[in-house]
Amino acid sequence: MTAVRLVRTDLALLKRLTPDLNFDDAERQEALLENGPRDFNAVPGSGKTSLLAAKLLLLAKKWPHAKKGVCILSHTNVAREEIARRLAQTEEGSRLLIYPHFLGTIHSFANQFLAMPALRSLGLQVDVIDDNVFAKRAMAKLNSNRFFTLRGWLRRQPNGDALVSKLFFKGPDLGVVSEGGDLPSDKCDSGKQLATIKRELAEVGVFRHRDMFAFADIALGCCPNLLDVVHRRFPMVFVDEMQDTSWEQEDILNRLFDGKSVVQRFGDVDQKIIMNDDEGDKATFPRAGHGTVSTSKRFGSRIADAVASVRLSKLPVKGDAADDISPVLLLYKTADVGKVIRRFGQLVVDRFDSDALRAQTVRAMCTRKLVDGTVDPGRHLGDYWPAFAQALRAGETGGSDGFWRLLDPQATGRPQATLAERVGDVRRAVLQVLRAAKAPVTTGLRDGRALIRAVAEQAGNALEVQRLVLELVLKSDLFDTPQAREAIPELLHGRLCYLLPPGMNLATFKALDVFAQPVVAAAVDASPTACVVVHAGHELRFTLGTVAGMKGETHLASLVLESYGGRSRKFDLEVALPCIAGLGKDIAKLSALQKVQMRNVYVAMSRPTRFLCLAANESRVALDIRQALEAKGWQIEQVA
């Protein structure tokens, strides 16, 4: 037996190894002392990553093998770094950070032990594994004369660029598919040319991260000796954040370790909100007989009760933290949707002193960024905060509002922005211009942060662009009057001409829509992702974003804004509030799309430590729901 067994007397070591943590409850001790293969489903704020780290410290103390190690996998670098930080605090734990042990993401594990050996066996070299680099190279290749037919077909598709930039290999036969949507048959010219782009980039060593799982799949099928080496190397395997593991990833781990190593997986199935997993229904977490950690150290009983009510698994959630602030439901009229976020800020100021607000985070979040639909506002974050919608649409289209708003610090609503914030805004403004000009360097770029690297890759260095950004940041007189702004296009053309498409002269450049003076520029008085509230003599600054973007965060106070589900034809809080109110709605009978909405609501509602606030249109909250919520200790407030 190569696995190490933990016994109850080992728990006494935790007082020395983790003096800041408490594992006295039965559920956590059961997880610590489990020696066989088992899953553990843990509620938000239960400290499952810290629990796993504590278990690893106990194992490190007793580990006897010089050439066999513990394999510790996480879905994110954040979880990996938290585990590494805990292990590094003791001499015993630091041993798990070096050979023969492995601590890393599932992606890095698959690359190191499976994909890279498979690539070498196929005679393929790796130049880069990077989604952005692949997108840029794929789009550049598309523009060559060989792919005229494909370009014509793509122009007729609403998602044409995404189809090309998100190509990846799937399965051991290296089938070519795309995260951007369904591809045409490989028997037609367009399908053949898409496959050609993918395979030609593979031949020169340019891959996407997801490609590596296809090569790992090849290793599983053709290298039995390699598989034997891997599972013998790791008699014990631990996986954190298991709910975020796609079936493609899980299948590889199952085939490697199931029945061969002791595998323990930790996560929260109700927080599974990953996209692009068309085989997600095959996922096995948590398996029958799983353990649970039902007590959250993040929040108290009233938030716990609300969180449990929207939990699809119906497993209990208990709150073990302070419970001194009632949750609030903000009801707004359609005409007042734009007042919701600021009203939340006022409620926060009323409930916390300055020390608490300085020390902890306040956030407002919504599942949707933007969504089409003819229903009343309240559909997405942009409805509540127009500056967000304006910035997002400008970022996607290169529209005029985006460029001038980013360039002018007065228009951003952040005249006191830090130098770093100004550099970021100006860099994004330059990217807007290059996108509008269809400069090849912008292909695959998601935001301005990657612009300098992309220019350096294409041109050898990015000094000219860096100088331009710095000049625009430091010399506000370049654009602070209408006359000065008229000269900006000529300045940019002179500095960026070497990046522009061939034949784009100054006249054509100046005619780009991106330079049109925004009609309502003076009315834009807010940052796209930040709100400043001055109330009762205090100032509160907090940020806005999506639920997915804030997953894993812990907040002092959280505002959850209702959103429209699009294809589900329901607003998420319209579905959730009867459950939260305890009116007996059977959550198991929701449609598949509505269940996705509920998972997002669950993730959002479980972020705060002390103050939970929801916002919904008053027309979608019936009187009996309001009364039931008040009976459960909720406060109902009208936005005015």
Side-chain angles (χ1 to χ4, degrees):
M1 183 69 176
T2 55
V4 168
R5 294 185 62 81
L6 297 176
V7 297
R8 186 161 295 277
T9 55
D10 292 325
L11 299 181
L13 292 170
L14 292 176
K15 291 183 179 179
R16 176 177 68 84
L17 297 174
T18 59
D20 59 326
L21 301 176
N22 187 317
F23 302 107
D24 291 342
D25 61 283
E27 289 181 334
R28 287 174 175 80
Q29 290 192 1
E30 180 183 15
L32 288 169
L33 296 174
E34 177 60 64
N35 290 305
R38 197 178 184 193
D39 290 346
F40 290 91
N41 201 65
V43 301
S46 60
K48 55 183 173 290
T49 300
S50 297
L51 175 66
L52 173 55
K55 181 162 189 168
L56 293 168
L57 287 170
L58 295 178
L59 290 171
K61 184 73 175 175
K62 302 179 74 172
W63 196 258
H65 309 293
K67 296 185 178 181
K68 295 179 184 292
V70 179
C71 182
I72 310 146
L73 304 175
S74 68
H75 186 75
T76 65
N77 283 314
V78 173
R80 176 189 61 78
E81 289 165 4
E82 169 64 13
I83 294 172
R85 184 183 66 81
R86 286 280 177 185
L87 295 177
Q89 290 175 354
T90 68
E91 180 182 352
E92 298 92 343
S94 62
R95 295 172 190 158
L96 295 186
L97 301 177
I98 59 176
Y99 178 87
H101 310 285
F102 180 88
L103 168 60
T105 63
I106 294 173
H107 287 82
S108 63
F109 173 83
N111 287 0
Q112 180 174 332
F113 291 97
L114 299 172
M116 296 307 292
L119 283 161
R120 287 193 291 269
S121 71
L122 294 171
L124 293 172
Q125 299 297 315
V126 174
D127 178 30
V128 62
I129 305 172
D130 186 288
D131 290 359
N132 288 333
V133 172
F134 175 86
K136 184 175 67 174
R137 297 282 293 275
M139 295 301 292
K141 187 174 283 290
L142 172 67
N143 290 326
S144 69
N145 293 332
R146 290 187 299 144
F147 299 106
F148 176 82
T149 300
L150 176 58
R151 288 199 301 275
W153 181 81
L154 289 170
R155 279 195 292 269
R156 299 191 295 273
Q157 313 307 313
N159 57 340
D161 285 356
L163 290 174
V164 179
S165 62
K166 296 183 179 182
L167 291 167
F168 70 97
F169 290 128
K170 184 173 182 179
D173 59 349
L174 298 183
V176 178
V177 293
S178 176
E179 290 178 357
D182 294 333
L183 299 182
S185 167
D186 58 6
K187 292 182 171 54
C188 70
D189 288 343
S190 296
K192 290 177 182 177
Q193 290 185 353
L194 282 165
T196 297
I197 288 175
K198 180 63 182 174
R199 298 189 189 283
E200 286 185 356
L201 287 175
E203 288 171 3
V204 295
V206 179
F207 298 96
R208 298 184 73 232
H209 290 291
R210 195 164 177 178
D211 292 329
M212 295 301 103
F213 291 100
F215 291 104
D217 207 347
I218 290 174
L220 286 169
C222 69
C223 306
N225 292 336
L226 175 63
L227 305 189
D228 189 59
V229 168
V230 172
H231 79 75
R232 289 182 182 278
R233 159 88 174 269
F234 300 114
M236 300 192 79
V237 180
F238 297 90
V239 186
D240 193 20
E241 300 293 352
M242 185 63 201
Q243 79 281 345
D244 289 331
T245 302
S246 69
W247 171 247
E248 183 177 42
Q249 297 163 358
E250 183 190 332
D251 182 49
I252 287 172
L253 297 181
N254 292 346
R255 290 156 66 187
L256 260 181
F257 297 117
D258 271 6
K260 307 178 188 73
S261 303
V262 173
V263 180
Q264 295 185 8
R265 310 185 298 179
F266 295 75
D268 180 0
V269 66
D270 294 293
Q271 292 194 65
K272 183 182 178 71
I273 61 173
I274 60 172
M275 306 297 289
N276 299 318
D277 187 9
D278 52 2
E279 297 178 293
D281 57 342
K282 296 180 181 179
T284 63
F285 181 82
R287 287 173 173 150
H290 65 83
T292 60
V293 182
S294 59
T295 303
S296 175
K297 298 179 182 295
R298 176 180 296 164
F299 42 69
S301 59
R302 278 181 285 195
I303 295 179
D305 179 66
V307 169
S309 69
V310 295
R311 198 176 193 195
L312 292 173
S313 68
K314 299 184 178 181
L315 292 169
V317 180
K318 303 170 187 175
D320 197 31
D323 189 35
D324 55 343
I325 298 178
S326 298
V328 170
L329 172 62
L330 284 177
L331 297 177
Y332 62 88
K333 293 181 172 63
T334 299
D336 294 328
V337 65
K339 301 178 181 179
V340 172
I341 290 176
R342 292 192 184 280
R343 179 56 186 149
F344 165 68
Q346 294 169 354
L347 296 180
V348 173
V349 171
D350 288 339
R351 284 159 174 76
F352 299 101
D353 60 30
S354 298
D355 290 340
L357 294 176
R358 278 194 298 269
Q360 299 181 68
T361 300
V362 175
R363 295 282 190 267
M365 72 194 95
C366 188
T367 295
R368 296 278 190 165
K369 292 181 179 180
L370 289 174
V371 63
D372 294 330
T374 57
V375 294
D376 287 338
R379 302 161 296 173
H380 49 69
L381 185 55
D383 279 345
Y384 299 95
W385 199 249
F388 178 86
Q390 186 181 55
L392 187 64
R393 289 192 175 101
E396 292 173 347
T397 65
S400 60
D401 288 347
F403 172 73
W404 293 111
R405 182 185 51 75
L406 290 169
L407 193 63
D408 185 349
Q410 299 298 323
T412 64
R414 292 189 307 182
Q416 302 302 319
T418 66
L419 180 61
E421 288 171 333
R422 285 291 300 129
V423 168
D425 286 339
V426 171
R427 200 161 46 208
R428 287 165 58 201
V430 172
L431 178 58
Q432 298 289 324
V433 173
L434 290 171
R435 279 179 174 161
K438 302 188 184 306
V441 73
T442 65
T443 301
L445 292 187
R446 296 180 180 179
D447 54 47
R449 289 174 295 182
L451 175 62
I452 301 301
R453 185 182 67 180
V455 172
E457 288 177 353
Q458 176 174 307
N461 69 72
L463 293 178
E464 193 62 38
V465 174
Q466 290 174 310
R467 291 191 187 104
L468 172 63
V469 169
L470 187 60
E471 185 173 350
L472 292 172
V473 167
L474 298 178
K475 297 181 179 180
S476 61
D477 59 319
L478 290 173
F479 46 77
D480 61 1
T481 67
Q483 294 78 15
R485 285 195 290 272
E486 288 181 5
I488 284 290
E490 185 171 353
L491 170 67
L492 295 178
H493 185 269
R495 300 293 187 85
L496 302 175
C497 59
Y498 69 106
L499 298 173
L500 301 176
M504 177 163 280
N505 58 30
L506 178 58
T508 304
F509 185 74
K510 291 174 69 173
L512 293 173
D513 288 343
V514 73
F515 295 125
Q517 294 290 328
V519 176
V520 295
V524 181
D525 61 353
S527 161
T529 58
C531 178
V532 180
V533 172
V534 179
H535 176 65
H538 298 279
E539 181 179 275
L540 170 67
R541 294 173 179 265
F542 60 96
T543 57
L544 329 168
T546 63
V547 174
M550 296 182 185
K551 185 180 180 184
E553 293 184 358
T554 296
H555 311 153
L556 174 69
S558 304
L559 170 63
V560 183
L561 301 158
E562 73 174 337
S563 68
Y564 185 59
R567 289 184 300 158
S568 78
R569 300 182 182 277
K570 288 285 188 179
F571 283 81
D572 49 11
L573 292 188
E574 180 184 12
V575 176
L577 281 169
C579 301
I580 298 170
L583 296 184
K585 185 163 185 175
D586 188 352
I587 198 169
K589 293 183 179 179
L590 297 177
S591 70
L593 292 172
Q594 290 170 1
K595 286 179 179 178
V596 172
Q597 289 179 289
M598 292 294 268
R599 287 194 185 97
N600 279 282
V601 171
Y602 171 83
V603 170
M605 288 174 52
S606 59
R607 297 307 98 204
T609 59
R610 295 181 64 191
F611 180 38
L612 170 64
C613 185
L614 309 181
N617 191 301
E618 63 177 9
S619 67
R620 291 187 281 272
V621 185
L623 179 61
D624 62 334
I625 294 176
R626 303 182 197 188
Q627 293 172 337
L629 286 171
E630 288 178 323
K632 292 170 74 69
W634 283 68
Q635 294 180 12
I636 311 295
E637 293 216 11
Q638 185 75 43
V639 175

